């Protein structure tokens, strides 16, 4: 039965039999036969199929969570047996938000790849919160509030500010607010949570006092790149991580307002299910990231 598991894992990942078959280089009928054989063996459906979608049953989810780590370890053992002493190999799958692309992955990946060319790296960029266990990622990178519970965490970056920004033309036209109450007369570019679609209010803070700006906006988006573009075009004020707006601020395409009300969040963290499941490539990535991101010469 073990030889049928890769087909099951592929369907669980792609939520589609055809794409799963393509990823494995086999026919769709071969994938279907493997799934039927597994379901016959365990005596219960593992996948819920409709004409439009494929999802996991409770039994399928249990099988994925318990079997995937063991199969992954077996594959790594085979890779390790074939590699040269001291050479890392295998696959490292990371799920990161756009925030981490420039700040973490940009500086770290070139160094990591140069040190460990035998490791294949998949970086999935999405701002929604994902279940990294169910979606078979080795680790995720998020702000602390986005880290799943019961995870091992390691800090990659220190505190981040969230700032209110607008274009010079917009601020010339509408004025520069000096207190959150003055935002009532301004246009707000709203942010939809990529996870659940709700509009997220702004939480401004000064000396421990929090001022919540209601989640109501004539223009809104679930994409930070679009949000910044809308702000540059003068559609309103945006509330965003300072590091994402840094280039536009330096170029004077955006200006910060309410700077004394800009809150800080604890930082950017890498997280994974348990130390026992931390693969050799993941441990090497964490070590490399800590070294590169702590370097005092980075960015100079």
């Amino acid at each position: 039965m073990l030889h049928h598991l890769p087909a099951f894992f592929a369907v669980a990942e792609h939520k589609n039999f055809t794409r799963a078959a393509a990823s494995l280089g086999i026919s769709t009928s071969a994938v279907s036969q493997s799934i039927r054989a597994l379901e016959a063996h365990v005596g219960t459906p593992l996948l819920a199929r409709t004409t439009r979608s494929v999802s996991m049953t409770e039994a399928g989810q249990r099988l994925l969570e318990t079997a995937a780590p063991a199969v992954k370890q077996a594959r790594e053992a085979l890779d390790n047996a074939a590699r040269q002493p001291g050479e890392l190999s295998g696959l490292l799958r990371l799920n990161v938000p756009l925030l981490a692309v420039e700040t973490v992955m940009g500086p770290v990946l070139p160094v990591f790849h140069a040190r460990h060319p035998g490791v294949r790296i998949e970086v999935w960029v999405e701002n929604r919160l994902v279940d990294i266990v169910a979606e078979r990622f080795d680790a995720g990178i998020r702000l602390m509030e986005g880290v799943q519970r019961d995870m091992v965490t390691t800090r990659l970056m220190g505190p981040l500010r969230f700032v209110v920004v607008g274009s010079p033309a917009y601020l010339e036209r509408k004025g520069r607010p000096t207190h959150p109450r003055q935002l009532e007369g301004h246009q707000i570019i709203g942010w939809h949570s990529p996870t659940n679609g709700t509009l997220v209010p702004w939480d401004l803070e000064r000396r421990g006092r929090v001022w919540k700006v209601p989640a109501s906006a004539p223009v809104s988006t679930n994409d930070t790149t679009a949000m910044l573009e809308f702000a540059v075009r003068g559609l309103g004020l945006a509330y965003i991580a300072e590091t994402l707006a840094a280039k536009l601020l330096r170029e004077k395409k955006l200006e910060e307002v309410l700077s004394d009300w800009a809150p800080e969040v604890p930082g950017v963290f890498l997280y994974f299910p348990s130390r026992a499941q931390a693969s050799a490539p993941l441990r090497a990535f964490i070590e490399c990231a800590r070294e590169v991101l702590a370097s005092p010469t980075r960015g100079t």
Side-chain angles (χ1 to χ4, degrees):
M1 283 298 109
L2 293 179
H3 65 282
H4 292 303
L5 285 174
F8 171 70
F9 294 150
V11 174
E13 177 181 349
H14 294 284
K15 307 294 191 297
N16 180 282
F17 276 67
T18 302
R19 289 196 294 269
S23 71
L24 296 171
I26 60 178
S27 68
T28 303
S29 62
V31 171
S32 297
Q33 289 171 11
S34 288
I35 299 301
R36 286 197 296 270
L38 282 173
E39 290 178 329
H41 181 73
V42 300
T44 188
L46 300 173
L47 300 170
R49 311 164 180 80
T50 69
T51 56
R52 294 187 177 183
S53 66
V54 177
S55 59
M56 309 287 288
T57 64
E58 183 178 351
Q61 188 65 39
R62 287 199 307 271
L63 176 61
L64 178 66
E65 293 177 359
T66 55
V71 172
K72 179 183 174 183
Q73 287 180 345
R75 287 173 174 168
E76 288 178 356
L78 292 172
D79 288 339
N80 289 338
R83 66 181 171 83
Q84 296 298 316
E87 178 187 348
L88 282 183
S89 62
L91 173 65
L92 178 62
R93 301 184 77 236
L94 302 174
N95 188 282
V96 310
L98 184 62
L99 172 69
V101 172
E102 182 177 352
T103 57
V104 176
M105 306 312 297
V108 173
L109 272 189
V111 179
F112 180 80
H113 182 64
R115 291 180 182 177
H116 308 289
V119 176
R120 293 179 295 116
I121 307 164
E122 290 184 5
V123 180
W124 293 69
V125 181
E126 49 192 337
N127 287 321
R128 71 181 179 94
L129 300 181
V130 304
D131 184 336
I132 61 171
V133 175
E135 301 196 27
R136 298 174 57 210
F137 289 101
D138 293 284
I141 296 176
R142 289 292 185 277
L143 301 178
M144 179 53 79
E145 58 265 32
V147 175
Q148 296 167 244
R149 288 190 295 179
D150 302 322
M151 292 282 166
V152 178
T153 62
T154 183
R155 185 193 296 271
L156 297 181
M157 294 180 59
L160 294 176
R161 295 174 75 237
F162 273 73
V163 297
V164 179
V165 297
S167 71
Y170 173 86
L171 296 172
E172 179 71 22
R173 184 172 75 251
K174 300 288 288 187
R176 303 177 66 91
T178 58
H179 191 280
R181 68 169 65 93
Q182 296 173 350
L183 291 173
E184 294 179 5
H186 281 266
Q187 295 171 207
I188 300 299
I189 300 172
W191 166 256
H192 289 276
S193 164
T195 305
N196 57 30
T198 60
L199 271 173
V200 180
W202 297 2
D203 289 328
L204 306 181
E205 183 179 350
R206 183 175 68 178
R207 294 192 291 273
R209 182 185 181 189
V210 176
W211 191 289
K212 190 175 290 290
V213 180
S216 176
V219 177
S220 57
T221 180
N222 69 339
D223 181 83
T224 51
T225 302
M227 178 187 290
L228 288 170
E229 178 66 17
F230 297 160
V232 168
R233 299 285 183 174
L235 288 175
L237 299 176
Y239 179 62
I240 196 165
E242 184 178 27
T243 186
L244 290 177
K247 184 175 183 290
L248 294 171
L249 289 168
R250 288 194 302 269
E251 295 173 347
K252 309 298 184 183
K253 293 180 180 179
L254 291 175
E255 297 178 8
E256 181 183 350
V257 296
L258 297 170
S259 59
D260 55 342
W261 284 88
E264 281 192 349
V265 296
V268 176
F269 294 80
L270 180 144
Y271 63 98
F272 55 95
S274 74
R275 298 190 191 280
Q277 293 182 19
S279 65
L282 177 56
R283 293 194 298 271
F285 180 85
I286 293 171
E287 179 182 353
C288 181
R290 285 172 170 169
E291 177 185 330
V292 171
L293 297 175
S295 172
T297 60
R298 186 171 69 91
T300 62

